[in-house]
Amino acid sequence: MSRRDELRKVQAGRLSAQRAPKATQVKAEKICGLCSNYSEGAFSGEGAGSCRILKVKSDISADPPKYDLESTDGYQTMNLMDAGKCQYYEKMSFVDKDGTECSDPRYRRSMRQMQD
Amino acid sequence: MQCMECGFEAPISGYRYLYNARIDASVAMRQCPACQAWLAVDQLNEKPLQAVGPGQAPWGKSAGIENLAEDR
Amino acid sequence: MTAEAARNLESVEDLEKKQQWWWVAEKTRSRRLDYLRKAIWKKGAIGGLYNPGVKVDLEFGLLAMESWNAAQVLADPKVIQFAKHLAHYLDNKTIFITDHAQLVGYVGSLPHTVFWDPTMGEMLNEEIYNDSTAIPEPVEESIKTVAELCDFWAGKTMQSEILPTFDIEDMMKVMSGAVGWGLPMSRTGYSGKDYEYLMTGKRAFQDILDELNQKIEEADYRIHNETPTPEILDLYDKIDCWEAMTIMLEAGMRHAKRYARLARTLAEQFEADSTRREELLLVAETCEQVPAKPPRSLQESLQYDLFIQLFSRTEAVEGAWPSRPDYYHGPYYQKDVNEKKRLTEQAAIDLVGEFLIRAAEVGQYKPRWTKEGLQGIDGTWVWTLGGVNKDGSDACNDLTIAFMKAARQVRVANPTFALRWHPEVRDEVMREAFECIRHGLGYPSIRNDPVLIENAMFWHGHPVEEARTWLHQACMSPAPTTKHGFQPMRMASATANCAKIIEYVFTRGFDKTVNMQMGALTDDPRKFMDFEEVKTAWSAQMESIFGLLVRVVNRGRATAPKTCPRPYLSAISERSVETGMDVCDPSLSRGNAWITGFTWVENADSLAAVKKLVFDDKKYTMDQLCDALEADWEGHEAMRLDFVNNAPKWGNDDDYVDDIMVWCLRDVARFSKEMKCPSGNNWPLLPENVSGNIHYANMVGALPNGRRLGDALYDGGISPGPGLDKKGPTAVLKSCGKINHVEDGRAFLLNQRLSPSQLAGEKGFTMWKAYLKTWADLGLDHVQFNMVSDETLRAAQSDPEKYQEVIVRVAGYSAHFVDISRKTQDNIIQRTVQGIG
């Protein structure tokens, strides 16, 4: 698969997540946003981010999950994505939910769905 | 390193790095993951200096009259 | 006695002595201004969140859904369909008139709301759905409405339409947010206006409408009566474009009439106070006159301008408010106050102050990256004062002074002013500017008019008469207000997080925050044998980042007329009225593009540190440096301090590092002339920051200047690192003076902190003028000042309630100190307070 194809697949995944019906969204128990390997993107108000372990060809929603540890670009995922099957999941011990400071991709999860 | 607010103990890297107090000094702000207090930390000696509330930071970079940097 | 009661007993003189200017303002302004100032809601965000009580406005989305559904049965061309959406909103939105107000209009439906147009993009819609504080009461019900709007517009938005038109790799990089800022759409960014067409009293909406109808009639006649040839083919699109423009102008006029009707109804049926009744009738009369017909008075002129801006903000999310208010409204002030004496000076200041307040209250929901990058404000409303006329004579007038007096009374943080200084500016005007700065407003910034006029001619080839009309298109960049000179849309995507250039030299272009290969795959830095190799890698990364952003914006500009037309902005632009082409069509524009350079100075300081400690002193190897940077300096603190304290830093008049800064700028300038915008013009760099230095703080890794991931980046433009300018203000100016402010880039922001007590009184004014003389002699193009003491700022941090009105200059804009994040506050306190004289 060429890099363009890979990226096209990533973008399609991201756009489809954005277009998923909001009215039916259910928050999973283990989500990427609560994993210490997840990093929020700069445009992260929409919930997009990436994984520092998994690479672009991974697919943690597949059954069984597909893990790519070799490619250059990171796996693009979403804050609220179900990470229940991911074997690299590491629950964060410290989450910053205060939205009045600026982006801290490693810690901050200030979106409404992440509030207690 | 021990948090002076709650007694939590961890290596310096276990405290969330926030930002420097000033780039040219070895003082940085870190956050205790247990009680979430902000601490001014001596980075070289890995020791907490003080808990820092709003308006109490050892910031500022000045000399001369009224903390001015004078022409020289 | 309460603190408030005690303050009420203090005289204005006492408060002035204590430099508590916000209380002075409250005690000295008129009751009307006091009421109006306190009646507005702050629309800027603190970090990523809006202030408590500010809510997203759902009305546009619901009305747009209604008109979309209605439009499905009509086969309208896209541009007409869009114009009809906007017209439907203007015809049906909730309107209100604030008590005591003489000027009317708001972009949303209620004063505490921020406008939201869900047709813009799914990313923004998603963010609103995720917002933890701005969903209006009742929250559960509103979340359902937001979800319904998100679902309805999913796949139908402008974002959905434009994304497939871009190169996939480029767009993924831009959407990572690591190096750029925003999406390249013509409905988000900074819209210049053709004020020479619109604001000179020669025409207003009805005149333009008549002209458009004639154009449509002529084109229609040609289509049906000429022998069919390819030459008439473009007339079909032109007719659509003209027709959309007429829809917008008619809707604008109807909207104003709704206000006229509301004001008249309130006056005739509800208002008991006779004075207020007269005022409301005057509001009605004003809205019956403008924007349909040209204004006749200062009030009508200001109301006309306000309507123009609000309609534009209905059509697009505008992050700036380019304006030259003293120049275009000045003749009406002259007539009303000085000639016909219909207004007293204070009454005029009340109107001007209210105009500032009406602008200050504007709020459109912004995505997090904008909220964080423009903390405390909705957008950069940098209004341009002073300057010269087209013939080069001094353009300052009595309204220039009135605006600055009004600003001290209303103390809004947005809009702010920038004063076009030139050698003929009267002392009286400079005195007013100084008073604003001394009162802690942080504005006006001072711009060097002769330098910037020459710069506009050098970079973009604007003829001198057009260059002299320039105003700030956003925070800093000059743009003419003429038919071919004005830029209808500056897309923010060409905003570079420049610290990534030097970061990528050490990561070979891989970005560890967004986990992506972003920059060029340059050589392994561990193997660099000399400084020239570092410079070569730096150039490659610079070209890679700037090239990416320019490519994307060029593509966005080229496709904009088709993918996201601007029928309203077109309708108020001579070139579109004349040609029937969308205002963003690059063929109509001379081109005035620039790359905003956030986080720029880190490059020079980092390169100097590498050169000094690795290659000159050979104290460290590149291997050691790479290890330290990869570890984010963790475990290398002594080495980090060496890189900060034992390497030359920009801003100290030290040629070692200053030469590197100049080399970097000239390398960019070379590339700026190679890159071209879709109008065929150059892409110069403009270093400045807004609060991008805080927004990006957690996205830029460790750098050789000694910063770590998370540390605030420098405060921007060509300002030295906070606390690193140790040799005083003249040394700062001398370093900056080594840059050629005409040929090395488009403009260069310089922040300076001065001591409020040192600059008190007449002596302070004299010292400040002497400082400015040095600044001008060295040929710098910009400087702005903070004049609030550390003591006040620290007190405001610990007791924010008491210091709600303290204003600071952030970078390119001002904000209330309590409205910016803690890290941003600390970054401002860290800046060196310079003693002058």
Side-chain angles (χ1 to χ4, degrees):
Chain A
M1 196 188 273
S2 71
R3 186 162 191 240
R4 287 174 65 82
D5 287 340
E6 282 169 10
L7 292 173
R8 200 167 278 124
K9 192 176 143 224
V10 170
Q11 194 184 53
R14 191 162 160 176
L15 291 177
S16 67
Q18 285 175 30
R19 291 172 187 179
K22 298 291 154 294
T24 58
Q25 274 191 0
V26 180
K27 189 173 144 189
E29 201 173 309
K30 278 165 78 177
I31 53 174
C32 284
L34 290 176
C35 174
S36 60
N37 295 320
Y38 174 81
S39 183
E40 281 193 347
F43 287 2
S44 52
E46 50 145 354
S50 61
C51 181
R52 71 179 175 85
I53 304 284
L54 300 181
K55 301 299 181 185
V56 66
K57 291 176 190 165
S58 303
D59 183 358
I60 60 168
S61 59
D63 195 14
K66 199 175 145 197
Y67 302 114
D68 167 19
L69 303 176
E70 304 299 325
S71 302
T72 304
D73 297 326
Y75 178 51
Q76 303 286 306
T77 177
M78 301 291 283
N79 198 322
L80 297 176
M81 179 142 178
D82 186 353
K85 290 182 280 187
C86 180
Q87 72 178 66
Y88 295 92
Y89 191 82
E90 287 177 43
K91 193 164 187 336
M92 288 175 87
S93 55
F94 180 62
V95 181
D96 181 355
K97 294 177 181 175
D98 176 10
T100 62
E101 197 42 83
C102 288
S103 283
D104 187 339
R106 298 158 298 168
Y107 295 98
R108 202 183 83 171
R109 309 287 184 262
S110 62
M111 59 205 292
R112 175 175 56 81
Q113 296 90 330
M114 304 296 279
Q115 305 298 312
D116 295 323
Chain B
M1 196 170 94
Q2 187 171 35
C3 172
M4 53 188 40
E5 291 291 292
C6 72
F8 173 79
E9 279 196 63
I12 189 170
S13 58
Y15 290 78
R16 177 191 182 192
Y17 183 84
L18 294 171
Y19 50 94
N20 59 24
R22 27 192 281 191
I23 194 170
D24 57 349
S26 186
V27 182
M29 305 296 301
R30 285 183 181 263
Q31 191 172 18
C32 172
C35 70
Q36 308 198 1
W38 285 33
L39 308 173
V41 175
D42 176 346
Q43 294 276 119
L44 260 184
N45 299 308
E46 305 194 354
K47 281 187 182 159
L49 301 172
Q50 64 176 92
V52 182
Q56 298 167 347
W59 325 130
K61 175 71 195 166
S62 306
I65 58 154
E66 199 197 77
N67 297 331
L68 303 176
E70 291 179 288
D71 265 344
R72 64 185 162 96
Chain C
M1 188 187 292
T2 64
E4 193 179 350
R7 193 178 63 248
N8 285 338
L9 292 175
E10 284 190 87
S11 68
V12 169
E13 289 73 26
D14 286 345
L15 292 166
E16 281 179 345
K17 270 185 205 148
K18 287 157 74 178
Q19 301 193 347
Q20 292 187 339
W21 304 108
W22 48 97
W23 299 130
V24 173
E26 193 171 306
K27 275 184 173 260
T28 53
R29 63 194 174 203
S30 70
R31 286 180 62 197
R32 182 203 306 276
L33 278 187
D34 196 49
Y35 179 89
L36 293 171
R37 174 66 179 76
K38 289 172 179 167
I40 56 169
W41 294 71
K42 292 176 177 180
K43 303 295 167 41
I46 307 176
L49 291 183
Y50 283 107
N51 270 291
V54 172
K55 302 294 175 187
V56 66
D57 200 321
L58 307 181
E59 193 171 67
F60 183 94
L62 293 168
L63 285 168
M65 199 157 66
E66 206 173 275
S67 64
W68 175 279
N69 286 331
Q72 294 316 295
V73 294
L74 304 167
D76 282 331
K78 183 177 169 178
V79 64
I80 291 177
Q81 200 179 86
F82 178 50
K84 283 183 176 174
H85 280 317
L86 300 176
H88 183 68
Y89 177 65
L90 291 174
D91 285 343
N92 293 286
K93 68 170 284 202
T94 307
I95 60 170
F96 60 88
I97 296 175
T98 308
D99 285 347
H100 304 288
Q102 300 180 92
L103 301 172
V104 296
Y106 182 61
V107 67
S109 63
L110 289 168
H112 70 297
T113 61
V114 281
F115 179 84
W116 170 36
D117 175 357
T119 72
M120 297 287 285
E122 287 84 355
M123 282 170 74
L124 185 74
N125 297 351
E126 190 104 353
E127 175 156 350
I128 288 170
Y129 181 68
N130 295 342
D131 194 303
S132 59
T133 63
I135 308 267
E137 303 281 351
V139 176
E140 286 307 313
E141 198 178 305
S142 296
I143 288 175
K144 283 184 194 156
T145 307
V146 172
E148 186 191 355
L149 289 170
C150 287
D151 290 347
F152 181 83
W153 292 107
K156 304 187 190 86
T157 68
M158 201 173 47
Q159 179 197 326
S160 274
E161 181 152 359
I162 67 157
L163 283 185
T165 68
F166 288 90
D167 175 81
I168 185 77
E169 183 172 339
D170 283 357
M171 190 41 74
M172 286 304 291
K173 287 179 175 176
V174 166
M175 284 175 73
S176 78
V179 295
W181 213 50
L183 288 178
M185 302 195 281
S186 62
R187 286 176 60 209
T188 60
Y190 317 136
S191 284
K193 311 275 183 315
D194 187 355
Y195 289 129
E196 285 296 300
Y197 181 58
L198 200 62
M199 295 290 291
T200 49
K202 293 177 195 146
R203 63 185 66 75
F205 282 20
Q206 186 59 53
D207 303 294
I208 302 173
L209 187 64
D210 293 344
E211 193 177 334
L212 288 169
N213 282 329
Q214 196 183 331
K215 295 256 181 206
I216 293 169
E217 209 173 298
E218 285 167 7
D220 190 62
Y221 179 86
R222 283 187 60 196
I223 286 172
H224 294 103
N225 293 282
E226 280 184 13
T227 306
T229 66
E231 271 151 39
I232 62 167
L233 285 177
D234 61 351
L235 289 178
Y236 297 97
D237 288 341
K238 288 180 181 217
I239 287 178
D240 291 343
C241 195
W242 278 319
E243 202 176 315
M245 294 186 216
T246 65
I247 291 168
M248 290 313 305
L249 294 179
E250 284 167 349
M253 290 190 285
R254 284 197 303 274
H255 187 70
K257 294 275 174 14
R258 290 181 65 205
Y259 274 104
R261 197 161 54 243
L262 176 62
R264 203 171 286 285
T265 305
L266 287 172
E268 290 171 354
Q269 296 181 30
F270 296 99
E271 186 57 60
D273 181 89
S274 60
T275 309
R276 181 61 184 155
R277 197 180 306 134
E278 289 306 311
E279 285 175 4
L280 283 166
L281 289 172
L282 187 55
V283 168
E285 197 183 304
T286 300
C287 295
E288 278 153 5
Q289 177 72 17
V290 295
K293 290 168 269 181
R296 300 163 298 187
S297 65
L298 182 63
Q299 181 166 341
E300 288 181 358
S301 186
L302 295 172
Q303 181 66 64
Y304 179 58
D305 197 355
L306 188 58
F307 276 137
I308 287 166
Q309 303 297 339
L310 293 174
F311 299 155
S312 193
R313 280 160 176 74
T314 304
E315 180 176 71
V317 177
E318 296 201 355
W321 189 314
S323 174
R324 201 181 170 194
D326 58 339
Y327 185 77
Y328 290 110
H329 299 295
Y332 300 98
Y333 181 97
Q334 171 69 12
K335 193 164 86 174
D336 283 3
V337 178
N338 296 336
E339 292 167 14
K340 301 207 168 170
K341 304 200 185 298
R342 289 192 292 227
L343 282 177
T344 62
E345 188 191 339
Q346 184 54 48
I349 286 176
D350 267 20
L351 270 173
V352 169
E354 185 177 343
F355 188 55
L356 293 170
I357 289 167
R358 291 278 80 85
E361 78 172 341
V362 168
Q364 296 178 285
Y365 192 97
K366 299 281 174 16
R368 189 200 280 178
W369 53 270
T370 311
K371 290 198 282 265
E372 291 185 348
L374 293 171
Q375 287 180 63
I377 57 166
D378 182 61
T380 49
W381 315 158
V382 180
W383 291 2
T384 308
L385 300 180
V388 293
N389 297 304
K390 285 186 197 166
D391 63 4
S393 60
D394 179 26
C396 295
N397 56 38
D398 288 351
L399 189 54
T400 315
I401 289 171
F403 262 101
M404 290 194 272
K405 283 185 172 166
R408 294 203 296 279
Q409 292 190 9
V410 298
R411 291 185 68 85
V412 290
N414 200 27
T416 67
F417 305 142
L419 178 66
R420 285 174 50 179
W421 171 90
H422 57 83
E424 307 306 318
V425 172
R426 285 174 287 140
D427 222 33
E428 189 187 0
V429 174
M430 295 310 289
R431 180 72 201 217
E432 289 296 334
F434 176 71
E435 286 302 314
C436 287
I437 294 164
R438 198 163 69 87
H439 284 212
L441 295 180
Y443 60 89
S445 61
I446 310 296
R447 306 305 306 272
N448 193 330
D449 209 34
V451 167
L452 288 165
I453 289 168
E454 198 182 339
N455 181 301
M457 295 162 70
F458 175 81
W459 279 104
H460 293 129
H462 296 300
V464 66
E465 281 204 348
E466 292 193 41
R468 284 172 178 156
T469 68
W470 77 268
L471 46 61
H472 293 70
Q473 178 148 3
C475 304
M476 287 280 294
S477 182
T481 56
T482 56
K483 181 177 174 183
H484 297 294
F486 92 96
Q487 190 174 221
M489 172 48 62
R490 195 270 165 177
M491 295 170 182
S493 311
T495 300
N497 178 14
C498 295
K500 287 286 180 190
I501 302 173
I502 185 69
E503 182 187 341
Y504 290 168
V505 168
F506 289 88
T507 64
R508 307 183 70 199
F510 187 79
D511 194 297
K512 292 179 187 169
T513 307
V514 296
N515 297 303
M516 201 173 174
Q517 182 68 34
M518 292 287 296
L521 186 63
T522 42
D523 292 339
D524 183 353
R526 291 174 188 270
K527 295 179 182 159
F528 288 163
M529 300 303 289
D530 58 40
F531 187 57
E532 284 307 308
E533 286 187 88
V534 183
K535 284 166 72 177
T536 302
W538 188 91
S539 274
Q541 296 298 350
M542 178 273 289
E543 291 192 8
S544 162
I545 292 174
F546 290 177
L548 164 73
L549 302 178
V550 165
R551 262 198 314 277
V552 165
V553 170
N554 278 353
R555 176 71 177 154
R557 280 293 310 275
T559 57
K562 289 284 176 212
T563 54
C564 29
R566 298 282 307 265
Y568 169 70
L569 192 61
S570 297
I572 57 170
S573 306
E574 184 179 8
R575 63 201 200 195
S576 291
V577 172
E578 191 177 281
T579 62
M581 292 157 78
D582 185 79
V583 68
C584 291
D585 195 300
S587 69
L588 302 176
S589 179
R590 186 175 299 120
N592 194 67
W594 75 92
I595 298 169
T596 299
F598 282 1
T599 65
W600 168 254
V601 175
E602 280 78 358
N603 287 285
D605 275 6
S606 295
L607 287 169
V610 175
K611 181 172 192 286
K612 179 87 170 75
L613 294 167
V614 177
F615 295 108
D616 288 359
D617 295 355
K618 301 192 191 314
K619 195 169 177 184
Y620 302 96
T621 64
M622 281 300 280
D623 239 350
Q624 286 173 306
L625 178 58
C626 290
D627 286 344
L629 295 179
E630 274 178 20
D632 194 23
W633 293 109
E634 195 87 60
H636 302 269
E637 181 63 9
M639 180 180 172
R640 188 192 72 80
L641 287 170
D642 226 4
F643 272 74
V644 183
N645 293 320
N646 294 319
K649 291 285 176 285
W650 168 252
N652 293 288
D653 189 23
D654 182 337
D655 284 344
Y656 191 95
V657 56
D658 296 355
D659 287 351
I660 290 174
M661 168 67 96
V662 171
W663 174 82
C664 289
L665 286 168
R666 292 189 181 158
D667 196 41
V668 175
R670 165 195 59 76
F671 192 49
S672 294
K673 289 175 204 147
E674 291 168 17
M675 295 184 289
K676 298 292 174 200
C677 76
S679 303
N681 219 326
N682 298 318
W683 269 101
L685 179 67
L686 191 161
E688 67 105 3
N689 248 19
V690 284
S691 57
N693 62 322
I694 307 296
H695 166 68
Y696 283 124
N698 291 294
M699 281 174 254
V700 175
L703 299 179
N705 70 331
R707 83 172 289 279
R708 304 180 51 163
L709 176 68
D711 292 340
L713 290 139
Y714 295 170
D715 51 293
I718 52 168
S719 311
L724 298 176
D725 43 349
K726 300 184 183 193
K727 293 195 175 169
T730 308
V732 174
L733 293 179
K734 281 185 176 169
S735 281
C736 296
K738 291 170 193 172
I739 296 168
N740 182 330
H741 287 246
V742 172
E743 299 186 6
D744 290 345
R746 191 65 173 94
F748 303 88
L749 176 142
L750 176 62
N751 285 321
Q752 289 283 268
R753 275 192 78 191
L754 302 176
S755 156
S757 57
Q758 192 195 16
L759 292 180
E762 201 54 38
K763 189 180 157 215
F765 180 49
T766 308
M767 287 161 75
W768 181 73
K769 277 199 303 182
Y771 174 90
L772 276 188
K773 183 172 184 315
T774 309
W775 167 85
D777 288 347
L778 287 165
L780 275 62
D781 72 271
H782 172 277
V783 64
Q784 61 191 7
F785 305 97
N786 263 310
M787 228 191 278
V788 186
S789 69
D790 283 358
E791 188 191 2
T792 301
L793 297 180
R794 288 204 181 102
Q797 275 190 324
S798 55
D799 192 0
E801 281 302 312
K802 203 171 153 193
Y803 292 86
Q804 284 286 314
E805 295 299 326
V806 171
I807 292 175
V808 288
R809 193 71 178 171
V810 181
Y813 74 95
S814 293
H816 285 94
F817 190 65
V818 297
D819 290 345
I820 55 180
S821 81
R822 169 80 184 275
K823 188 191 274 191
T824 321
Q825 291 178 341
D826 286 343
N827 180 252
I828 288 169
I829 296 174
Q830 282 182 37
R831 296 178 193 170
T832 305
V833 180
Q834 303 280 12
I836 61 175

